[in-house]
Amino acid sequence: MIGGLGRHAEAASELRRAVGELTDEQQLYYAELFLGAEEAALGNREAARIAYERAAALFPQAQSPLLGLSEIARRSGDRNGALRAIGRLFALPGDERDEHDDPWWWYHTAQARDADDLLEAMWQPYLTERLQ
């Protein structure tokens, strides 16, 4: 990750480009989360807030963007904003929560989420030939 190398402006630029091009909701969610973190690292709190809010809108039951919102408010000395964001997190329904409510919980396997479909599509021409 470019931002991990301390090149936050470059990372934010690439993430802004990605956000404009992505159509997959889950990938867009990740891009918005990472963009929020990079904007925060650059001191662009309002841009970070907007990115986190867009991520939260994509997955309304997700915890991760709310934690990001609380953190940027806390770091800027906005105690009330930090409490409001964390209050939104605590207000999320707990009993019916599902691991799919927040894609961050399965980020480490996101690259394989459609592996079964891809493998089936790859094998389909060979299976069709075999059946004829």
Side-chain angles (χ1 to χ4, degrees):
M1 192 158 143
I2 299 169
L5 299 172
R7 297 173 11 212
H8 301 292
E10 185 180 349
S13 176
E14 290 296 322
L15 286 162
R16 280 187 221 103
R17 184 179 59 75
V19 163
E21 295 175 5
L22 289 170
T23 57
D24 180 88
E25 212 173 60
Q26 181 181 342
Q27 290 176 348
L28 184 56
Y29 173 81
Y30 293 137
E32 293 287 10
L33 279 183
F34 292 133
L35 179 57
E38 295 303 332
E39 294 288 11
L42 291 168
N44 301 331
R45 289 188 293 272
E46 182 60 16
R49 186 193 64 73
I50 290 169
Y52 285 133
E53 287 289 0
R54 286 190 302 239
L58 288 167
F59 286 85
Q61 301 299 314
Q63 299 171 347
S64 301
L66 302 178
L67 288 171
L69 286 166
S70 182
E71 180 64 13
I72 58 171
R74 187 194 65 79
R75 286 181 183 240
S76 66
D78 180 6
R79 183 176 189 278
N80 289 332
L83 291 172
R84 268 192 311 277
I86 210 71
R88 285 172 59 190
L89 186 147
F90 291 140
L92 293 174
D95 294 343
E96 357 26 266
R97 289 201 55 78
D98 174 299
E99 69 178 27
H100 292 88
D101 289 341
D102 189 343
W104 187 250
W105 288 103
W106 28 284
Y107 176 76
H108 63 285
T109 60
Q111 74 283 357
R113 71 179 191 259
D114 58 351
D116 290 337
D117 294 336
L118 292 171
L119 285 170
E120 185 176 329
M122 181 185 77
W123 284 108
Q124 194 57 49
Y126 303 104
L127 294 174
T128 304
E129 272 182 23
R130 220 169 128 203
L131 295 174
Q132 292 177 357

